[in-house]
Amino acid sequence: MKTTFAALLAPCVLVSSLFAGLSAAAQAQTMNDAVYQGLGAKSGISKIVADFLPIILADQRINAAFKDTDMERLGAMLAEQFCELSGGPCKYSGKEMKEAHQDMKVTNAQFFALAEDLQIAMEKNNIPSSVQNKLVAKLAPMQRPIVTK
């Protein structure tokens, strides 16, 4: 049986294509979760949220809105949401933003105060400004369904 050069080359091309595809997929995943990694992955997000909640409760501009809030549940939902939005492996299991905030009469000033408090928590955790800005940019579209007043 005579083996041609093309027959020998075909498996090499197939393996090379497979590795190139895997490399591209890995590179795409790295780009998709760059914010997640920049936040410190799950443990980093947990630390940010742990620092964020007391900042909210101390903020006179918005703390009254959280007086009846289950802060432990809020922390869990925020961690899921930040994880998912940043490209991490989590899935947010909470309510849609419009439904969750419909009766809260949230103002733009309160929305911006909360965003400012988040940035303070990220600063406290030494998150680079570029990563902070990317997360805030992913959260910004939530303003419309959250702000009801």
Side-chain angles (χ1 to χ4, degrees), residues 6-25:
L8 292 172
L9 188 59
C12 293
V13 170
L14 180 64
V15 169
S16 293
S17 296
L18 178 63
F19 280 127
L22 290 173
S23 176

Side-chain angles (χ1 to χ4, degrees), residues 20-87:
L22 290 173
S23 176
Q27 187 175 22
Q29 179 60 33
T30 300
M31 290 176 65
N32 289 341
D33 75 350
V35 175
Y36 174 71
Q37 295 301 328
L39 293 170
K42 280 188 182 181
S43 64
I45 290 170
S46 292
K47 289 176 187 172
I48 292 165
V49 171
D51 288 334
F52 184 35
L53 296 178
I55 294 168
I56 293 168
L57 293 175
D59 189 337
Q60 296 296 315
R61 299 171 296 174
I62 59 173
N63 62 2
F66 294 92
K67 70 180 182 334
D68 296 325
T69 301
D70 177 347
M71 295 305 283
E72 188 174 322
R73 176 160 168 68
L74 176 62
M77 293 297 96
L78 288 171
E80 281 181 9
Q81 193 173 55
F82 295 166
C83 178
E84 181 178 340
L85 286 172
S86 66

